Amino acid sequence: MSNKIYELFSAVLCPASFASWARPKASDLNIPRKRFLNDNNEVVWNIGDESCACADHIEMAGFYASSIISYGKDNRGKLRLMKHLVVPTLRVQPNVTQSSFSYNFGASPAVIKVNHRFVSEYPKEIKIKGNLKISSSTDTPVSITREFLPAVNQPALIEIITVCNNSNESCNVNIAGKPFEKGLNSYFCVGSKITAKCVPAFDDVFRKYSSVSREFTLKGGDVRQLYCVYYAFQKTEPAEFSIADEIAERRNFIDKMFSSLRLETPVKELNAQFSHCILRGSESIFKTKNGLMHAPGGGNYYAALWTNDQREYANPFFPFSGYAAGIEQCINCYSLYEAYMDKSDKPMKEKRALVTSIICEGTDYWNGAGDRGDGEMYAYGISRFLLEMSDEELVRRFWDNLVWCLDFALSRKTADGIIASDSDELENRFESGDANLFTSCITYDALGNAAILADAVADSAHKAQWLQEQKELRTAIEKYFGRNVEGFDTYRYYDGNVHLRSWICMPLTVEIFDRADETVKALFSSKLYYDGMMKSTSDNNTTWDRSLLFALRGTFLAGKAEKGIEETVNYCKNRILGSHCPYPYEAYPEGNRAHLAAESLLFARVITEGLFGLRAVGMNKLRIIPQLTDACPEISLYAIKLFSKNFNIKADKNGISVEYEGNEYHTNEQSAVFDFGTLSFL
């Protein structure tokens, strides 16, 4: 799409995902907020105690819609709200990556009067645990609570409005509700006209009201509740559905995400961040015409797949949690990429690279950054996923795809023995040369994983080839990339690179520790790391959470437990209780620190693969290397679903225990491999 067309498209058809007053400013990125964690793992913000105007935004999603809620208060202390609704299966023209229909809802469709006066709301307390709940006082005897949550099975956002009389005397309450709707001309739509609408409801069933108003007396201490439903549709409105059932299903989903894969350490912020991240990373799965698709979100990226965010970042996590929709979308997503693998008779060097993303519900693709190492990302992600599932039928199902990706990667091997690619996962935002450290490292990891999987399909030839290639690639990585950069004996990112780059953490994440000491020092030096954020490059202030999360995982894997815990706990306190909570975010200033879903699962992997050192090293074989410290001398992870099992791991100074099917298996070692075939430590 040309720049002019894209600018017009963005301005007219894609409203801003965040309210202007909720956009972060450099001056307030790390202003302490009056936030704390309660006993229910809710993030509580005493916004009424803040001395000036303040705001934040949060994303939440169901299977058919996602919403970004901008919320806060103005200089007079009055409530500010904007509801950004995205429905990925409704598409606008031109049908490109960002073409999911979206709309911004401002004022509520329900106007509240108390004793014949319009109510002004002053937010006092905000709670977040998947849903967003805002409790406000008013200039009347009543208080108002607004809770926002995505419908699970409808293209809708639900707002629960609760009015409570806090006085001892009765008061008159009038709620005038009038639906709002606005349509987008069919000329701009894929298919017919798209309509955005919000309607109020006083009972538990959604209906297409034309208008609703109620007047009643609210006795002292009494409570009355109503709903507002924000949705979009094409041709016909959604059929009647139970609002109460949608609310219950969302709350059940939240409970499931917080109670299934569960972390216990002495640090409550660490435990809570883990659960919040699992929820955010798992909710961003959408039902599309081509099956379930995990999507980044952030207001722009829906009903689409990326080889980094989905294949490489998110999918290797889902076998840990065993979330059924997550596993299903993994298989679907790896399958959808098959159509873009050039399996012609041309020599491998002449074949097309794998595309960057599959967009528009799987009907098109985007490849604007050339070969980013996408085939290598696919190989890395699927090889880890298959080992973690340890399902021989799945291995056979995807074996040819894995072979193709590794053949493609090795066909790009340079005379120096490293793997070439046009760019990297940051898509030319920063220079990456003709061959970058990222692409070579994920190829190294994929080769080792694939060699293990080869036993499941009795492919000894490929196993021998890949083990040899992996050995040679490790040597080449050290020889080609190993350098002193800005005073640290670490890695250059590409030939000619003279500034430190955050992706020097990549060798650590694939367990190449030749330069671990200096690399960790460089990563957390003032050249790259400040105020709990990590710059992409030392000569530019742009920060990305994804590379910081890779760095935290790599620090643990390198055995730097004290540094790993220190910086991971610091990260949790900055994110879950900081100026923008509760999830990891994309980039700043790019992206307005959007709550992209895959970043949340990258944090979860800091815990599973980093803190606990969990890695599938064979079919049904799990390596465990817990990183214990004085701050975390005992750590436990409950309800792990790797290999389609259900087990717990506990570690302390006395060793490692695996609890499985009512039995406990223990070793005094601090590093071990547990075989679920023989039910023994190796």
Side-chain angles (χ1 to χ4, degrees):
M1 179 171 27
S2 73
N3 287 337
K4 287 186 178 180
I5 294 176
Y6 181 76
E7 288 170 6
L8 177 65
F9 166 74
S10 298
V12 177
L13 301 183
C14 280
S17 304
F18 316 100
S20 59
W21 42 263
R23 291 180 181 274
K25 302 179 182 66
S27 59
D28 66 8
L29 285 181
N30 287 288
I31 292 176
R33 294 300 184 199
K34 299 182 185 300
R35 289 186 167 120
F36 65 92
L37 282 167
N38 67 15
D39 292 338
N40 193 35
N41 274 326
E42 291 174 304
V43 179
V44 182
W45 183 12
N46 289 325
I47 189 173
D49 294 338
E50 301 284 358
S51 59
C52 57
C54 51
D56 203 353
H57 55 81
I58 185 173
E59 183 161 11
M60 54 186 71
F63 282 124
Y64 291 98
S66 189
S67 298
I68 297 173
I69 313 298
S70 296
Y71 61 96
K73 67 177 184 178
D74 63 18
N75 285 320
R76 296 171 295 172
K78 288 188 176 182
L79 178 65
R80 279 177 156 176
L81 278 173
M82 188 186 84
K83 290 84 69 176
H84 179 81
L85 179 73
V86 184
V87 183
T89 55
L90 300 179
R91 314 294 300 173
V92 299
Q93 298 284 13
N95 196 4
V96 295
T97 302
Q98 298 87 349
S99 289
S100 298
F101 174 77
S102 59
Y103 190 80
N104 288 341
F105 295 93
S108 172
V111 177
I112 303 172
K113 287 183 179 181
V114 176
N115 294 332
H116 311 293
R117 291 177 53 196
F118 289 106
V119 170
S120 293
E121 297 174 51
Y122 300 88
K124 299 301 180 186
E125 181 184 77
I126 295 171
K127 291 182 178 180
I128 296 174
K129 187 179 177 182
N131 301 342
L132 172 70
K133 184 183 291 186
I134 303 172
S135 299
S136 301
S137 63
T138 71
D139 47 6
T140 73
V142 308
S143 61
I144 297 175
T145 299
R146 297 176 183 269
E147 182 176 2
F148 297 90
L149 62 143
V152 176
N153 296 301
Q154 301 292 335
L157 169 72
I158 296 171
E159 179 182 10
I160 308 169
I161 302 176
T162 305
V163 181
C164 176
N165 185 355
N166 297 305
S167 72
N168 295 322
E169 298 181 2
S170 298
C171 61
N172 173 271
V173 178
N174 179 279
I175 300 177
K178 187 175 182 180
F180 165 85
E181 68 175 79
K182 186 170 184 178
L184 184 63
N185 190 291
S186 59
Y187 175 80
F188 298 105
C189 304
V190 177
S192 59
K193 175 182 177 181
I194 299 173
T195 301
K197 191 171 182 179
C198 54
V199 300
F202 278 90
D203 57 34
D204 290 339
V205 177
F206 166 81
R207 296 186 179 91
K208 301 177 284 292
Y209 292 104
S210 57
S211 63
V212 176
S213 62
R214 297 283 173 89
E215 186 169 358
F216 49 87
T217 297
L218 201 61
K219 295 180 180 179
D222 278 3
V223 172
R224 186 65 65 93
Q225 189 167 277
L226 69 147
Y227 309 104
C228 295
V229 181
Y230 306 84
Y231 60 101
F233 61 95
Q234 202 164 31
K235 292 185 179 178
T236 57
E237 295 202 26
E240 290 186 2
F241 63 86
S242 169
I243 298 173
D245 286 352
E246 288 294 327
I247 293 170
E249 190 158 354
R250 171 64 178 181
R251 289 179 174 162
N252 287 339
F253 172 78
I254 293 170
D255 289 343
K256 180 179 180 180
M257 293 299 106
F258 273 77
S259 62
S260 55
L261 185 58
R262 183 167 51 86
L263 174 68
E264 282 192 9
T265 74
V267 184
K268 64 179 182 179
E269 293 89 353
L270 187 62
N271 305 337
Q273 185 79 74
F274 184 66
S275 293
H276 279 269
C277 284
I278 291 174
L279 187 149
R280 174 66 192 133
S282 299
E283 70 179 356
S284 192
I285 295 174
F286 299 91
K287 294 184 177 180
T288 75
K289 66 173 66 174
N290 279 294
L292 292 180
M293 290 186 179
H294 189 272
N300 290 311
Y301 310 115
Y302 303 92
L305 316 166
W306 277 259
T307 56
N308 54 332
D309 290 70
Q310 278 63 59
R311 309 291 67 72
E312 182 200 342
Y313 301 171
N315 287 1
F317 171 76
F318 282 111
F320 284 88
S321 69
Y323 178 43
I327 299 294
E328 181 182 338
Q329 71 79 28
C330 289
I331 295 170
N332 184 51
C333 294
Y334 286 126
S335 299
L336 286 171
Y337 269 93
E338 288 175 332
Y340 299 97
M341 293 180 182
D342 183 352
K343 295 184 178 179
S344 66
D345 293 332
K346 292 184 294 185
M348 204 70 204
K349 287 185 178 181
E350 298 176 13
K351 291 187 178 182
R352 301 185 309 272
L354 197 61
V355 298
T356 292
S357 59
I358 297 173
I359 63 175
C360 310
E361 295 189 82
T363 61
D364 204 349
Y365 70 93
W366 182 81
N367 202 36
D371 175 16
R372 308 180 310 155
D374 297 287
E376 292 83 349
M377 295 177 195
Y378 185 105
Y380 169 97
I382 199 169
S383 62
R384 286 198 170 223
F385 173 76
L386 292 173
L387 276 172
E388 292 161 359
M389 294 298 292
S390 282
D391 181 328
E392 291 188 5
E393 184 177 339
L394 271 181
V395 177
R396 288 190 291 271
R397 161 71 181 82
F398 288 107
W399 186 249
D400 288 346
N401 294 355
L402 180 55
V403 171
W404 185 92
C405 287
L406 290 176
D407 282 349
F408 180 88
L410 295 173
S411 76
R412 267 55 182 176
K413 187 165 64 171
T414 71
D416 294 298
I418 45 94
I419 309 301
S421 58
D422 298 329
S423 62
D424 66 359
E425 57 91 47
L426 285 180
E427 298 168 3
N428 293 314
R429 290 174 175 87
F430 300 97
E431 176 62 42
S432 60
D434 297 324
N436 63 77
L437 182 62
F438 194 106
T439 301
S440 287
C441 286
I442 57 175
T443 303
Y444 170 85
D445 193 85
L447 287 166
N449 298 331
I452 298 170
L453 289 166
D455 288 335
V457 293
D459 191 340
S460 57
H462 272 118
K463 178 176 182 176
Q465 176 197 1
W466 292 334
L467 287 174
Q468 182 61 32
E469 291 283 0
Q470 187 190 38
K471 181 179 178 181
E472 293 174 3
L473 182 54
R474 176 168 181 158
T475 300
I477 288 171
E478 168 60 28
K479 184 177 180 180
Y480 186 85
F481 294 107
R483 290 292 189 281
N484 186 290
V485 182
E486 296 195 63
F488 296 93
D489 286 326
T490 181
Y491 301 93
R492 64 179 181 177
Y493 192 57
Y494 59 89
D495 184 17
N497 170 221
V498 297
H499 296 288
L500 284 173
R501 296 288 291 268
S502 60
W503 285 128
I504 59 174
C505 66
M506 283 306 297
L508 307 183
T509 68
V510 299
E511 304 187 24
I512 297 175
F513 303 131
D514 301 336
R515 294 171 176 258
D517 290 350
E518 286 286 289
T519 297
V520 171
K521 288 178 184 177
L523 287 166
F524 294 102
S525 72
S526 59
K527 292 180 181 293
L528 283 177
Y529 186 65
Y530 71 100
D531 292 337
M533 298 182 290
M534 185 166 284
K535 298 192 290 187
S536 292
T537 175
S538 61
D539 64 332
N540 187 293
N541 285 331
T542 299
T543 64
W544 290 74
D545 260 17
R546 62 187 64 181
S547 54
L548 173 52
L549 293 166
F550 269 79
L552 293 173
R553 174 158 41 111
T555 299
F556 278 122
L557 287 169
K560 312 295 183 183
E562 293 290 348
K563 189 64 173 175
I565 282 291
E566 176 190 353
E567 298 301 348
T568 301
V569 171
N570 181 49
Y571 178 88
C572 293
K573 290 180 178 179
N574 279 334
R575 296 300 178 274
I576 204 164
L577 300 177
S579 63
H580 180 39
C581 80
Y583 309 122
Y585 41 78
E586 189 187 18
Y588 183 81
E590 177 182 336
N592 293 299
R593 300 188 297 167
H595 283 152
L596 298 197
E599 272 78 350
S600 278
L601 296 184
L602 282 178
F603 177 82
R605 292 177 63 186
V606 171
I607 303 305
T608 55
E609 299 173 30
L611 179 61
F612 282 83
L614 304 183
R615 179 165 183 166
V617 293
M619 300 292 278
N620 294 298
K621 292 183 176 66
L622 179 63
R623 187 202 66 190
I624 311 167
I625 311 179
Q627 299 295 302
L628 303 178
T629 67
D630 291 340
C632 286
E634 299 177 1
I635 57 176
S636 301
L637 195 58
Y638 294 92
I640 306 164
K641 307 299 191 310
L642 284 177
F643 316 132
S644 299
K645 306 289 193 285
N646 190 332
F647 58 96
N648 309 324
I649 291 177
K650 298 180 178 180
D652 57 26
K653 65 181 180 180
N654 296 315
I656 302 167
S657 295
V658 173
E659 297 174 348
Y660 176 58
E661 293 188 335
N663 297 306
E664 181 175 337
Y665 306 88
H666 182 79
T667 177
N668 294 326
E669 302 296 324
Q670 292 295 330
S671 173
V673 173
F674 188 79
D675 186 339
F676 281 90
T678 61
L679 294 178
S680 62
F681 283 99
L682 302 180

